[in-house]
Amino acid sequence: MSSALTDLFPLPIVQAPMAGGVSVPQLAAAVAEAGGLGFLAAGYKTADGMYQEIKQLRGLTGRPFGVNLFMPQPDYAEPAAVDVYAHQLAGEAAWYETELGDPDSGRDDGYDAKLAVLLDNPVPVVSFHFGVPSRDVLDALRRVGTLTLVTATTPDEARAVERAGADGVIVQGAEAGGHQGTHQDIPENDRSAIGLLSLLGQIREAVGLPLVAAGGIMRGSQIAAVLAAGASAAQLGTAFLATPESGAHAVHKQALTNPLFVRTELTRAFSGRPARGLVNRFMREHGPYAPAAYPEIHHLTSPVRKAAAKAGDAQGMALWAGQGHRMARELPAGQLVEVLAAELDAARTALSSGGAG
């Protein structure tokens, strides 16, 4: 299984699927052409929107790539808590001259329709976030030649991924930017996220599947470290966020290295689920009061976030970023892959010769 996955791309570098318009076909194609595995993010898109991006990507590269799906969410939310939070956000909507979104805009992210597209038009790899697909789904994808990966944030989650029959586990450490891919959204666990190297060691001993390490990785030397710790490849998101091919807003890209934004935190402020981003005014003011209500809060805050982006106001945007964000490099994506590969080779050489990397 490990070779089936890594044989798809010559370099052990995976570009993380970043939803919200960041992981566009141009980015995935540039990474794939440079020898990594590019990914499209189907989250928050329609099934047809996903299909159109797949067609566009295939027109840009003949190399393997992946598509990421969000799992449908069970009904955890208390409507009263969402109403209270909406009342709190009324001032934000007024400030940005917009309306709050409808929290009841859908919970399944078009999951079944997207699966139907991916079974009719198979892609090399499909990954899943926010839970584990059924064995029937994973078997159906396998029958059409698609390899499957599922995010896990604990050893127990990784065991569930293995039991379901996936081909590999994306081991997501606490350092990762964007949403934590926890299988269940339990507020009591918000402060118990495990760091990548510790989590990688625990999951390596828990399951026999190939592992893709994710969380705070920005340099080739860090890729070497997770490979030495048992991963088959490393998944990088924030590192590719600042590239010109990335679909991230210019304000978001600039914020990664702006001295004004010195740290990241996990917050529910923007979506109702724990996600790591640069600490800004919106997060400070609303994070402590945001309920565990995903995707209701995501839908609720979406117009505000879009209006803040349109106004160029970083203080009202969801500035998703991993803990290594200050190490971001504004290089073209293909060149960044080449630099990472050179750094990886140098680190491996240093390790094999007993020197310092």
Side-chain angles (χ1 to χ4, degrees), residues 73 75-78 81 182-193 266-268 272-275 287-294:
Q73 297 300 290
D75 189 3
Y76 289 129
E78 297 180 16
T182 50
H183 296 181
Q184 292 182 306
D185 187 11
I186 303 172
E188 292 77 12
N189 294 342
D190 278 4
R191 297 185 180 277
S192 62
L266 287 169
T267 185
R268 293 179 180 271
R273 236 184 186 273
Y289 311 105
Y294 177 87

Side-chain angles (χ1 to χ4, degrees), residues 30-314:
V31 172
E33 285 294 307
L37 182 66
F39 252 96
L40 295 174
Y44 310 135
K45 291 184 173 66
T46 64
D48 184 63
M50 177 194 74
Y51 176 59
Q52 295 303 323
E53 286 205 344
I54 291 171
K55 285 206 305 183
Q56 187 180 353
L57 177 53
R58 282 181 167 143
L60 295 171
T61 182
R63 301 203 179 208
F65 62 91
V67 174
N68 176 256
L69 299 182
F70 286 170
M71 293 296 297
Q73 297 300 290
D75 189 3
Y76 289 129
E78 297 180 16
V82 176
D83 290 342
V84 169
Y85 195 56
H87 180 74
Q88 180 180 331
L89 295 179
E92 295 282 355
W95 175 257
Y96 289 111
E97 299 180 340
T98 187
E99 301 288 333
L100 293 174
D102 178 6
D104 300 316
S105 297
R107 303 192 60 79
D108 68 357
D109 200 49
Y111 179 74
D112 289 337
K114 290 172 184 175
L115 273 178
V117 171
L118 293 170
L119 290 171
D120 285 342
N121 302 271
V123 300
V125 182
V126 171
S127 67
F128 298 86
H129 210 58
F130 296 147
V132 187
S134 68
R135 179 173 285 276
D136 287 347
V137 165
L138 295 172
D139 286 347
L141 287 166
R142 183 174 294 110
R143 284 194 294 272
V144 297
T146 298
L147 290 171
T148 53
L149 300 169
V150 182
T151 301
T153 63
T154 68
D156 282 345
E157 289 180 352
R159 292 185 188 98
V161 173
E162 187 172 50
R163 287 194 300 272
D167 295 307
V169 181
I170 299 170
V171 178
Q172 187 191 36
E175 304 93 332
H179 283 92
Q180 289 282 298
T182 50
H183 296 181
Q184 292 182 306
D185 187 11
I186 303 172
E188 292 77 12
N189 294 342
D190 278 4
R191 297 185 180 277
S192 62
I194 305 170
L196 177 57
L197 283 178
S198 177
L199 182 63
L200 189 58
Q202 293 177 51
I203 289 181
R204 186 185 183 194
E205 294 187 2
V207 302
L209 295 175
L211 309 178
V212 177
I217 302 172
M218 303 292 288
R219 295 287 186 266
S221 57
Q222 294 170 298
I223 298 173
V226 296
L227 296 180
S232 297
Q235 179 171 281
L236 293 75
T238 306
F240 288 105
L241 194 66
T243 63
E245 294 89 347
S246 154
H249 193 284
V251 171
H252 191 170
K253 294 181 180 183
Q254 293 160 7
L256 295 175
T257 52
N258 185 334
L260 185 64
F261 301 101
V262 297
R263 62 191 177 88
T264 64
E265 282 186 6
L266 287 169
T267 185
R268 293 179 180 271
F270 299 101
S271 72
R273 236 184 186 273
R276 184 173 296 283
L278 301 173
V279 177
N280 61 3
R281 178 193 59 77
F282 193 105
M283 189 189 295
R284 286 192 299 269
E285 292 183 1
H286 302 295
Y289 311 105
Y294 177 87
E296 287 87 351
I297 303 304
H298 163 78
H299 296 314
L300 188 72
T301 67
S302 180
V304 172
R305 290 180 277 123
K306 289 177 181 176
K310 186 176 181 181
D313 183 3

